[in-house]
Amino acid sequence: MNINFTEEEIAFREEIRHFLAEEYPADIRRKRDEGIELTPEDTIRWQKTLHKRGWFAVNWPVEHGGTGWTPVQNYIFANEMARANTPILIPFGFKMVGPIIYTFGSEEQKQRFLPDILESNVWWCQGYSEPGAGSDLASLKTKADRGSDGDGDHYVVNGTKTWTTLGQFADWIFCLVRTSSDVARKQEGISFILIDMRTSGVTVKPIITIEGDHEVNEIHFDNVRVPAENLVGEEGRGWTYGKVLLQHERLNVAGVASSQYRLNRLKETAALSVHGGQPLIENHNFARKIATLEIELKGLEYTELRTLASIATSDAPGPESSYLKILGTEIQQSLDALMMEAAGYYALPYVPTQYDLDYPDDDRIGVGAQTKTSLRYFNNRKASIYGGSNEIQKNIIAKHVLGL
Ligand SMILES: Cc1cc2nc3c(=O)[nH]c(=O)nc-3n(C[C@H](O)[C@H](O)[C@H](O)COP(=O)(O)OP(=O)(O)OC[C@H]3O[C@@H](n4cnc5c(N)ncnc54)[C@H](O)[C@@H]3O)c2cc1C
Protein backbone atom coordinates (compact mmCIF):
# COMPACT_ATOMS: atom_id res chain seq x y z
CA MET A 1 0.00 0.00 0.00
CA ASN A 2 1.46 3.37 -1.04
CA ILE A 3 1.03 5.84 1.81
CA ASN A 4 2.37 8.92 0.02
CA PHE A 5 -0.24 11.13 -1.58
CA THR A 6 0.15 11.83 -5.31
CA GLU A 7 0.37 15.41 -6.60
CA GLU A 8 -3.29 15.24 -7.62
CA GLU A 9 -4.27 14.10 -4.15
CA ILE A 10 -2.32 16.93 -2.55
CA ALA A 11 -4.04 19.40 -4.89
CA PHE A 12 -7.37 17.86 -3.94
CA ARG A 13 -6.52 18.38 -0.25
CA GLU A 14 -5.72 22.03 -0.94
CA GLU A 15 -9.06 22.44 -2.73
CA ILE A 16 -10.86 21.16 0.38
CA ARG A 17 -8.84 23.44 2.69
CA HIS A 18 -9.67 26.40 0.47
CA PHE A 19 -13.37 25.48 0.51
CA LEU A 20 -13.33 25.21 4.32
CA ALA A 21 -11.57 28.55 4.72
CA GLU A 22 -14.19 30.22 2.50
CA GLU A 23 -17.41 28.36 3.22
CA TYR A 24 -17.34 26.97 6.76
CA PRO A 25 -19.68 29.46 8.55
CA ALA A 26 -17.82 31.34 11.31
CA ASP A 27 -20.67 31.09 13.81
CA ILE A 28 -20.91 27.30 13.47
CA ARG A 29 -17.11 26.98 13.62
CA ARG A 30 -17.06 28.97 16.85
CA LYS A 31 -19.78 26.85 18.44
CA ARG A 32 -17.93 23.67 17.48
CA ASP A 33 -14.60 24.93 18.80
CA GLU A 34 -16.12 26.01 22.09
CA GLY A 35 -18.15 22.85 22.59
CA ILE A 36 -21.49 24.63 22.27
CA GLU A 37 -24.47 22.52 21.20
CA LEU A 38 -25.47 23.01 17.55
CA THR A 39 -29.13 23.46 16.70
CA PRO A 40 -30.66 21.15 14.05
CA GLU A 41 -30.80 24.25 11.80
CA ASP A 42 -27.00 24.73 12.15
CA THR A 43 -26.35 21.16 11.06
CA ILE A 44 -28.79 21.36 8.15
CA ARG A 45 -27.24 24.66 7.02
CA TRP A 46 -23.81 22.99 6.95
CA GLN A 47 -25.15 19.93 5.11
CA LYS A 48 -26.74 22.19 2.49
CA THR A 49 -23.43 24.08 2.10
CA LEU A 50 -21.68 20.79 1.42
CA HIS A 51 -24.38 19.71 -1.01
CA LYS A 52 -24.08 22.98 -2.94
CA ARG A 53 -20.42 22.13 -3.50
CA GLY A 54 -21.38 18.52 -4.44
CA TRP A 55 -19.63 17.15 -1.33
CA PHE A 56 -22.46 15.94 0.87
CA ALA A 57 -23.31 12.35 -0.10
CA VAL A 58 -19.72 11.59 -1.02
CA ASN A 59 -20.27 7.85 -0.53
CA TRP A 60 -23.01 7.66 -3.21
CA PRO A 61 -22.42 6.55 -6.81
CA VAL A 62 -22.10 9.39 -9.31
CA GLU A 63 -25.38 8.53 -11.07
CA HIS A 64 -27.28 9.24 -7.85
CA GLY A 65 -25.45 12.48 -6.99
CA GLY A 66 -22.30 11.12 -5.31
CA THR A 67 -18.72 12.08 -6.08
CA GLY A 68 -17.19 8.91 -7.50
CA TRP A 69 -14.10 9.64 -5.37
CA THR A 70 -11.44 7.04 -4.76
CA PRO A 71 -11.07 5.61 -1.25
CA VAL A 72 -8.01 7.85 -0.78
CA GLN A 73 -10.01 10.96 -1.74
CA ASN A 74 -12.74 9.93 0.70
CA TYR A 75 -10.08 9.50 3.36
CA ILE A 76 -8.52 12.93 2.66
CA PHE A 77 -11.95 14.56 2.71
CA ALA A 78 -12.90 12.97 6.06
CA ASN A 79 -9.55 13.99 7.51
CA GLU A 80 -9.83 17.60 6.42
CA MET A 81 -13.38 17.85 7.76
CA ALA A 82 -12.27 16.48 11.13
CA ARG A 83 -9.17 18.69 11.17
CA ALA A 84 -11.43 21.73 10.78
CA ASN A 85 -13.78 20.28 13.43
CA THR A 86 -16.82 20.56 11.15
CA PRO A 87 -20.25 19.40 12.43
CA ILE A 88 -21.16 15.73 12.67
CA LEU A 89 -23.51 15.07 9.76
CA ILE A 90 -26.87 13.43 10.41
CA PRO A 91 -26.22 9.94 9.00
CA PHE A 92 -29.72 8.47 8.80
CA GLY A 93 -30.58 9.82 5.34
CA PHE A 94 -27.40 9.94 3.28
CA LYS A 95 -25.40 7.17 4.98
CA MET A 96 -28.17 4.75 5.86
CA VAL A 97 -31.52 4.77 4.10
CA GLY A 98 -30.25 6.51 0.94
CA PRO A 99 -27.92 3.65 -0.09
CA ILE A 100 -30.68 1.11 0.67
CA ILE A 101 -33.14 3.03 -1.54
CA TYR A 102 -30.76 3.42 -4.49
CA THR A 103 -29.65 -0.23 -4.21
CA PHE A 104 -32.94 -2.04 -3.52
CA GLY A 105 -35.72 0.55 -3.99
CA SER A 106 -38.08 1.07 -6.94
CA GLU A 107 -37.53 3.79 -9.57
CA GLU A 108 -40.42 5.69 -8.08
CA GLN A 109 -38.86 5.54 -4.58
CA LYS A 110 -35.51 6.73 -5.93
CA GLN A 111 -37.13 9.74 -7.57
CA ARG A 112 -39.32 10.49 -4.59
CA PHE A 113 -36.78 10.20 -1.75
CA LEU A 114 -33.20 10.60 -2.98
CA PRO A 115 -33.29 14.30 -4.02
CA ASP A 116 -34.66 15.36 -0.61
CA ILE A 117 -31.98 13.31 1.16
CA LEU A 118 -29.26 14.94 -0.93
CA GLU A 119 -30.63 18.40 -0.24
CA SER A 120 -31.23 17.72 3.49
CA ASN A 121 -34.89 18.71 3.09
CA VAL A 122 -36.10 15.67 5.02
CA TRP A 123 -34.85 14.38 8.39
CA TRP A 124 -34.77 10.58 8.68
CA CYS A 125 -34.41 8.34 11.73
CA GLN A 126 -33.69 4.64 12.16
CA GLY A 127 -36.31 2.24 13.56
CA TYR A 128 -34.53 -1.06 14.14
CA SER A 129 -34.22 -1.66 17.91
CA GLU A 130 -37.18 -2.56 20.10
CA PRO A 131 -37.55 -2.97 23.87
CA GLY A 132 -37.09 -6.76 23.46
CA ALA A 133 -34.88 -6.75 20.36
CA GLY A 134 -31.46 -5.07 20.38
CA SER A 135 -28.52 -7.42 19.96
CA ASP A 136 -31.01 -10.11 19.03
CA LEU A 137 -32.59 -7.83 16.43
CA ALA A 138 -34.30 -10.65 14.52
CA SER A 139 -36.64 -11.09 17.52
CA LEU A 140 -38.33 -7.83 16.59
CA LYS A 141 -42.11 -7.84 17.05
CA THR A 142 -43.37 -4.64 15.41
CA LYS A 143 -45.96 -6.02 13.02
CA ALA A 144 -46.97 -4.75 9.60
CA ASP A 145 -50.11 -6.49 8.34
CA ARG A 146 -51.02 -5.94 4.73
CA GLY A 147 -54.70 -5.54 4.20
CA SER A 148 -55.73 -6.20 7.83
CA ASP A 149 -57.98 -3.12 7.60
CA GLY A 150 -59.61 -4.57 4.49
CA ASP A 151 -57.42 -2.42 2.21
CA GLY A 152 -54.73 -4.37 0.32
CA ASP A 153 -52.95 -1.12 -0.58
CA HIS A 154 -51.81 -0.50 2.98
CA TYR A 155 -49.87 -2.10 5.82
CA VAL A 156 -51.17 -1.58 9.34
CA VAL A 157 -48.21 -1.18 11.71
CA ASN A 158 -48.32 -1.85 15.47
CA GLY A 159 -45.40 -1.98 17.91
CA THR A 160 -42.63 0.01 19.60
CA LYS A 161 -39.17 1.08 18.45
CA THR A 162 -36.63 2.36 20.94
CA TRP A 163 -33.34 4.28 21.25
CA THR A 164 -34.39 6.15 18.12
CA THR A 165 -31.68 8.81 17.79
CA LEU A 166 -32.96 12.34 17.11
CA GLY A 167 -36.39 10.90 16.25
CA GLN A 168 -37.92 14.04 17.78
CA PHE A 169 -36.80 15.98 14.69
CA ALA A 170 -37.58 13.30 12.11
CA ASP A 171 -39.98 13.64 9.19
CA TRP A 172 -39.59 9.98 8.17
CA ILE A 173 -38.46 6.74 9.82
CA PHE A 174 -37.12 3.61 8.08
CA CYS A 175 -38.17 0.49 9.95
CA LEU A 176 -37.60 -3.22 10.09
CA VAL A 177 -41.02 -4.78 10.69
CA ARG A 178 -42.41 -8.29 10.83
CA THR A 179 -44.66 -9.02 7.85
CA SER A 180 -44.87 -12.75 8.51
CA SER A 181 -44.55 -14.95 11.61
CA ASP A 182 -45.04 -18.16 9.69
CA VAL A 183 -41.32 -18.68 9.12
CA ALA A 184 -38.65 -21.36 9.67
CA ARG A 185 -36.02 -18.84 10.87
CA LYS A 186 -36.79 -15.60 12.69
CA GLN A 187 -34.61 -13.66 10.19
CA GLU A 188 -37.25 -14.47 7.57
CA GLY A 189 -40.56 -12.60 7.38
CA ILE A 190 -38.93 -9.21 8.16
CA SER A 191 -39.48 -6.29 5.77
CA PHE A 192 -38.00 -2.82 5.32
CA ILE A 193 -40.56 -0.02 5.17
CA LEU A 194 -40.60 3.76 5.15
CA ILE A 195 -43.05 5.54 7.43
CA ASP A 196 -44.06 9.20 7.39
CA MET A 197 -43.78 10.37 11.01
CA ARG A 198 -46.84 12.60 10.59
CA THR A 199 -49.10 9.59 10.02
CA SER A 200 -51.87 9.21 12.58
CA GLY A 201 -50.94 6.71 15.36
CA VAL A 202 -47.19 7.58 15.54
CA THR A 203 -46.10 8.85 18.99
CA VAL A 204 -42.58 9.98 19.97
CA LYS A 205 -41.58 9.82 23.65
CA PRO A 206 -38.22 11.17 24.87
CA ILE A 207 -35.62 9.07 26.71
CA ILE A 208 -33.29 11.27 28.77
CA THR A 209 -29.75 9.89 28.86
CA ILE A 210 -27.33 9.82 31.80
CA GLU A 211 -25.85 13.25 31.05
CA GLY A 212 -29.31 14.83 30.86
CA ASP A 213 -29.69 15.12 27.09
CA HIS A 214 -32.69 14.37 24.92
CA GLU A 215 -30.97 12.49 22.13
CA VAL A 216 -32.93 9.22 21.93
CA ASN A 217 -36.61 8.31 21.92
CA GLU A 218 -39.18 5.57 22.11
CA ILE A 219 -41.56 5.52 19.13
CA HIS A 220 -44.96 3.89 19.31
CA PHE A 221 -47.00 2.75 16.33
CA ASP A 222 -50.69 2.30 17.01
CA ASN A 223 -52.60 1.07 13.95
CA VAL A 224 -50.46 3.22 11.66
CA ARG A 225 -51.58 2.89 8.02
CA VAL A 226 -48.61 2.83 5.64
CA PRO A 227 -49.08 2.76 1.85
CA ALA A 228 -47.81 -0.55 0.40
CA GLU A 229 -45.67 1.45 -2.05
CA ASN A 230 -43.46 2.38 0.95
CA LEU A 231 -42.13 -1.18 1.15
CA VAL A 232 -38.50 -1.21 -0.04
CA GLY A 233 -37.51 -4.16 -2.21
CA GLU A 234 -39.27 -7.47 -1.66
CA GLU A 235 -41.50 -8.31 1.27
CA GLY A 236 -39.67 -10.63 3.69
CA ARG A 237 -36.16 -9.60 2.50
CA GLY A 238 -35.70 -6.80 5.07
CA TRP A 239 -33.10 -8.70 7.08
CA THR A 240 -30.76 -8.82 4.09
CA TYR A 241 -31.17 -5.10 3.38
CA GLY A 242 -30.87 -4.24 7.07
CA LYS A 243 -27.56 -6.09 7.40
CA VAL A 244 -26.03 -4.20 4.46
CA LEU A 245 -26.98 -0.95 6.14
CA LEU A 246 -25.49 -1.98 9.50
CA GLN A 247 -22.16 -2.80 7.89
CA HIS A 248 -22.01 0.73 6.44
CA GLU A 249 -23.03 2.16 9.83
CA ARG A 250 -20.19 0.33 11.60
CA LEU A 251 -17.60 1.40 9.08
CA ASN A 252 -18.55 5.00 9.69
CA VAL A 253 -18.08 4.74 13.43
CA ALA A 254 -14.31 4.09 13.22
CA GLY A 255 -13.93 7.88 13.45
CA VAL A 256 -10.15 7.97 12.90
CA ALA A 257 -10.00 11.58 11.76
CA SER A 258 -12.10 12.98 14.57
CA SER A 259 -10.12 10.94 17.14
CA GLN A 260 -6.95 12.46 15.69
CA TYR A 261 -8.46 15.93 16.16
CA ARG A 262 -9.42 15.09 19.74
CA LEU A 263 -5.98 13.65 20.46
CA ASN A 264 -4.46 17.00 19.46
CA ARG A 265 -6.91 18.82 21.74
CA LEU A 266 -6.00 16.42 24.54
CA LYS A 267 -2.32 17.26 24.14
CA GLU A 268 -3.08 21.00 24.18
CA THR A 269 -5.18 20.58 27.32
CA ALA A 270 -2.56 18.44 29.06
CA ALA A 271 0.07 21.09 28.29
CA LEU A 272 -2.05 23.75 29.99
CA SER A 273 -3.20 21.62 32.88
CA VAL A 274 -0.80 21.93 35.82
CA HIS A 275 -0.66 19.09 38.33
CA GLY A 276 1.80 19.17 41.27
CA GLY A 277 3.57 22.21 39.77
CA GLN A 278 4.19 20.49 36.43
CA PRO A 279 2.21 20.49 33.14
CA LEU A 280 0.44 17.16 32.90
CA ILE A 281 1.94 16.48 29.47
CA GLU A 282 5.39 16.28 31.14
CA ASN A 283 4.21 13.67 33.60
CA HIS A 284 5.79 10.43 32.36
CA ASN A 285 2.84 8.27 33.26
CA PHE A 286 0.38 10.53 31.44
CA ALA A 287 2.69 10.97 28.45
CA ARG A 288 2.93 7.16 28.19
CA LYS A 289 -0.88 6.89 28.10
CA ILE A 290 -1.04 9.45 25.30
CA ALA A 291 1.72 7.68 23.37
CA THR A 292 -0.05 4.31 23.69
CA LEU A 293 -3.26 5.82 22.38
CA GLU A 294 -1.45 7.51 19.52
CA ILE A 295 0.08 4.18 18.45
CA GLU A 296 -3.32 2.47 18.60
CA LEU A 297 -4.85 5.26 16.55
CA LYS A 298 -2.12 4.98 13.91
CA GLY A 299 -2.82 1.23 13.73
CA LEU A 300 -6.53 1.89 13.28
CA GLU A 301 -5.81 4.47 10.58
CA TYR A 302 -3.89 1.92 8.51
CA THR A 303 -6.54 -0.72 9.11
CA GLU A 304 -9.18 1.69 7.86
CA LEU A 305 -7.11 2.54 4.79
CA ARG A 306 -6.71 -1.16 4.00
CA THR A 307 -10.44 -1.69 4.42
CA LEU A 308 -11.28 1.29 2.20
CA ALA A 309 -8.99 -0.11 -0.47
CA SER A 310 -10.71 -3.50 -0.33
CA ILE A 311 -14.19 -1.93 -0.46
CA ALA A 312 -13.18 -0.27 -3.73
CA THR A 313 -13.09 -3.72 -5.32
CA SER A 314 -16.21 -5.20 -3.70
CA ASP A 315 -19.82 -4.19 -3.18
CA ALA A 316 -19.94 -3.59 0.56
CA PRO A 317 -17.73 -3.75 3.62
CA GLY A 318 -17.61 -7.24 5.10
CA PRO A 319 -16.84 -8.28 8.68
CA GLU A 320 -13.88 -5.83 8.66
CA SER A 321 -16.39 -3.16 9.65
CA SER A 322 -16.78 -5.02 12.96
CA TYR A 323 -13.18 -4.64 14.06
CA LEU A 324 -13.09 -1.02 12.89
CA LYS A 325 -16.11 -0.42 15.08
CA ILE A 326 -14.55 -2.08 18.13
CA LEU A 327 -11.13 -0.43 17.85
CA GLY A 328 -12.55 2.97 16.84
CA THR A 329 -14.97 3.18 19.75
CA GLU A 330 -12.45 1.87 22.29
CA ILE A 331 -10.07 4.65 21.25
CA GLN A 332 -12.86 7.25 21.43
CA GLN A 333 -13.70 6.15 24.97
CA SER A 334 -10.04 6.14 26.04
CA LEU A 335 -9.81 9.71 24.73
CA ASP A 336 -12.84 10.66 26.84
CA ALA A 337 -11.20 9.20 29.94
CA LEU A 338 -7.84 10.92 29.34
CA MET A 339 -9.59 14.21 28.65
CA MET A 340 -11.36 13.89 32.02
CA GLU A 341 -7.97 13.34 33.63
CA ALA A 342 -6.42 16.31 31.84
CA ALA A 343 -9.30 18.69 32.53
CA GLY A 344 -9.33 17.72 36.22
CA TYR A 345 -11.91 19.65 38.22
CA TYR A 346 -12.70 21.85 35.20
CA ALA A 347 -14.49 18.81 33.79
CA LEU A 348 -16.94 18.62 36.65
CA PRO A 349 -19.17 21.70 36.77
CA TYR A 350 -22.25 21.73 34.61
CA VAL A 351 -23.86 25.11 34.12
CA PRO A 352 -26.29 25.20 31.18
CA THR A 353 -25.48 28.86 30.37
CA GLN A 354 -21.91 27.78 29.63
CA TYR A 355 -23.29 26.76 26.26
CA ASP A 356 -24.42 30.28 25.48
CA LEU A 357 -22.29 31.97 22.86
CA ASP A 358 -21.51 34.90 25.16
CA TYR A 359 -20.35 32.86 28.14
CA PRO A 360 -16.85 34.12 29.06
CA ASP A 361 -13.92 31.89 28.27
CA ASP A 362 -11.78 32.90 31.26
CA ASP A 363 -12.89 30.03 33.46
CA ARG A 364 -11.70 27.34 31.09
CA ILE A 365 -8.32 25.75 30.52
CA GLY A 366 -7.54 27.88 27.52
CA VAL A 367 -8.60 25.51 24.77
CA GLY A 368 -12.37 25.56 24.69
CA ALA A 369 -15.09 24.16 26.83
CA GLN A 370 -13.55 21.67 29.22
CA THR A 371 -16.79 21.98 31.15
CA LYS A 372 -18.36 19.81 28.49
CA THR A 373 -15.83 17.05 29.08
CA SER A 374 -17.80 15.12 31.68
CA LEU A 375 -21.01 15.37 29.64
CA ARG A 376 -19.17 14.00 26.65
CA TYR A 377 -17.59 11.26 28.74
CA PHE A 378 -21.00 10.05 29.91
CA ASN A 379 -22.72 10.52 26.55
CA ASN A 380 -20.06 8.58 24.73
CA ARG A 381 -20.60 5.42 26.78
CA LYS A 382 -23.05 4.80 23.93
CA ALA A 383 -20.28 4.36 21.36
CA SER A 384 -19.59 0.75 22.31
CA ILE A 385 -23.33 -0.06 22.27
CA TYR A 386 -24.98 1.51 19.22
CA GLY A 387 -24.60 0.11 15.72
CA GLY A 388 -24.49 -3.34 17.38
CA SER A 389 -22.60 -3.65 20.69
CA ASN A 390 -18.88 -4.38 20.71
CA GLU A 391 -19.51 -7.81 22.26
CA ILE A 392 -21.71 -8.67 19.27
CA GLN A 393 -18.99 -7.42 16.90
CA LYS A 394 -16.56 -9.82 18.59
CA ASN A 395 -19.03 -12.66 17.97
CA ILE A 396 -19.17 -11.66 14.27
CA ILE A 397 -15.37 -11.65 14.03
CA ALA A 398 -15.19 -15.04 15.77
CA LYS A 399 -17.64 -16.51 13.27
CA HIS A 400 -16.75 -14.84 9.97
CA VAL A 401 -13.04 -14.04 10.35
CA LEU A 402 -11.69 -16.67 12.72
CA GLY A 403 -14.19 -19.36 11.67
CA LEU A 404 -14.94 -20.36 15.28
C1 LIG B 1 -27.25 6.25 22.30
C2 LIG B 1 -27.87 5.15 21.48
C3 LIG B 1 -28.44 5.46 20.27
C4 LIG B 1 -29.06 4.45 19.53
N1 LIG B 1 -29.69 4.79 18.36
C5 LIG B 1 -30.43 3.87 17.71
C6 LIG B 1 -31.24 4.24 16.59
O1 LIG B 1 -31.24 5.40 16.15
N2 LIG B 1 -32.01 3.29 16.01
C7 LIG B 1 -32.01 1.99 16.44
O2 LIG B 1 -32.72 1.18 15.84
N3 LIG B 1 -31.27 1.61 17.51
C8 LIG B 1 -30.49 2.52 18.16
N4 LIG B 1 -29.74 2.15 19.26
C9 LIG B 1 -29.90 0.79 19.78
C10 LIG B 1 -28.66 -0.06 19.71
O3 LIG B 1 -28.46 -0.57 18.43
C11 LIG B 1 -28.87 -1.18 20.76
O4 LIG B 1 -28.80 -0.56 22.02
C12 LIG B 1 -27.82 -2.26 20.68
O5 LIG B 1 -28.02 -3.03 19.52
C13 LIG B 1 -27.85 -3.17 21.93
O6 LIG B 1 -29.13 -3.66 22.16
P1 LIG B 1 -29.83 -3.54 23.61
O7 LIG B 1 -29.70 -2.11 24.05
O8 LIG B 1 -31.20 -4.10 23.51
O9 LIG B 1 -28.93 -4.41 24.58
P2 LIG B 1 -28.99 -6.00 24.76
O10 LIG B 1 -29.09 -6.64 23.42
O11 LIG B 1 -30.04 -6.33 25.76
O12 LIG B 1 -27.55 -6.30 25.35
C14 LIG B 1 -27.22 -6.05 26.73
C15 LIG B 1 -25.76 -6.45 26.95
O13 LIG B 1 -25.59 -7.85 26.68
C16 LIG B 1 -24.57 -8.06 25.70
N5 LIG B 1 -24.96 -9.17 24.82
C17 LIG B 1 -26.19 -9.38 24.27
N6 LIG B 1 -26.18 -10.51 23.51
C18 LIG B 1 -24.92 -11.00 23.56
C19 LIG B 1 -24.27 -12.13 22.97
N7 LIG B 1 -24.93 -12.96 22.14
N8 LIG B 1 -22.94 -12.33 23.23
C20 LIG B 1 -22.25 -11.47 24.05
N9 LIG B 1 -22.83 -10.39 24.65
C21 LIG B 1 -24.13 -10.15 24.41
C22 LIG B 1 -24.52 -6.77 24.92
O14 LIG B 1 -23.25 -6.56 24.32
C23 LIG B 1 -24.79 -5.72 26.00
O15 LIG B 1 -23.60 -5.43 26.70
C24 LIG B 1 -29.07 3.13 20.00
C25 LIG B 1 -28.45 2.83 21.22
C26 LIG B 1 -27.86 3.81 21.96
C27 LIG B 1 -27.22 3.45 23.26
Side-chain angles (χ1 to χ4, degrees), residues 92 126-129 134-135 162-165 215-216 382 385-389 391-392 395:
F92 306 107
Q126 178 187 27
Y128 276 23
S129 307
S135 303
T162 194
W163 303 120
T164 321
T165 301
E215 181 177 310
V216 283
K382 68 187 176 189
I385 303 172
Y386 64 50
S389 76
E391 289 79 17
I392 294 300
N395 289 350

Side-chain angles (χ1 to χ4, degrees), residues 218-233:
E218 200 164 80
I219 300 193
H220 300 272
F221 298 94
D222 183 13
N223 286 323
V224 175
R225 294 180 80 243
V226 180
E229 71 215 27
N230 290 9
L231 172 80
V232 176

Side-chain angles (χ1 to χ4, degrees), residues 254-264 290-304 327-328 331-332 335:
V256 172
S258 77
S259 287
Q260 186 58 56
Y261 173 86
R262 294 187 63 217
L263 184 66
N264 294 340
I290 289 189
T292 306
L293 200 60
E294 197 153 13
I295 292 165
E296 282 169 5
L297 187 55
K298 205 26 105 185
L300 179 63
E301 184 181 356
Y302 279 85
T303 308
E304 187 177 46
L327 295 173
I331 287 173
Q332 287 159 29
L335 276 164

Side-chain angles (χ1 to χ4, degrees), residues 139-165:
S139 295
L140 63 88
K141 292 199 166 49
T142 296
K143 269 179 92 173
D145 284 330
R146 187 161 184 167
S148 66
D149 61 348
D151 173 358
D153 290 342
H154 282 79
Y155 289 96
V156 177
V157 179
N158 281 287
T160 300
K161 295 290 174 184
T162 194
W163 303 120
T164 321
T165 301

Side-chain angles (χ1 to χ4, degrees), residues 243-318:
K243 270 198 313 192
V244 171
L245 184 150
L246 276 177
Q247 285 174 337
H248 281 281
E249 182 184 355
R250 280 171 208 147
L251 186 68
N252 295 326
V253 294
V256 172
S258 77
S259 287
Q260 186 58 56
Y261 173 86
R262 294 187 63 217
L263 184 66
N264 294 340
R265 293 290 292 255
L266 171 65
K267 288 180 186 172
E268 287 168 22
T269 307
L272 290 162
S273 173
V274 177
H275 289 234
Q278 178 195 37
L280 189 60
I281 194 90
E282 289 171 20
N283 174 301
H284 288 174
N285 193 30
F286 195 80
R288 182 186 51 76
K289 288 184 199 171
I290 289 189
T292 306
L293 200 60
E294 197 153 13
I295 292 165
E296 282 169 5
L297 187 55
K298 205 26 105 185
L300 179 63
E301 184 181 356
Y302 279 85
T303 308
E304 187 177 46
L305 278 171
R306 265 202 330 269
T307 309
L308 286 175
S310 74
I311 291 172
T313 54
S314 62
D315 287 342

Side-chain angles (χ1 to χ4, degrees), residues 19-36:
F19 165 78
L20 286 169
E22 298 285 315
E23 304 287 342
Y24 184 12
D27 58 324
I28 299 181
R29 183 191 291 263
R30 180 174 169 212
K31 281 187 177 180
R32 286 284 294 162
D33 287 348
E34 296 190 8
I36 295 162

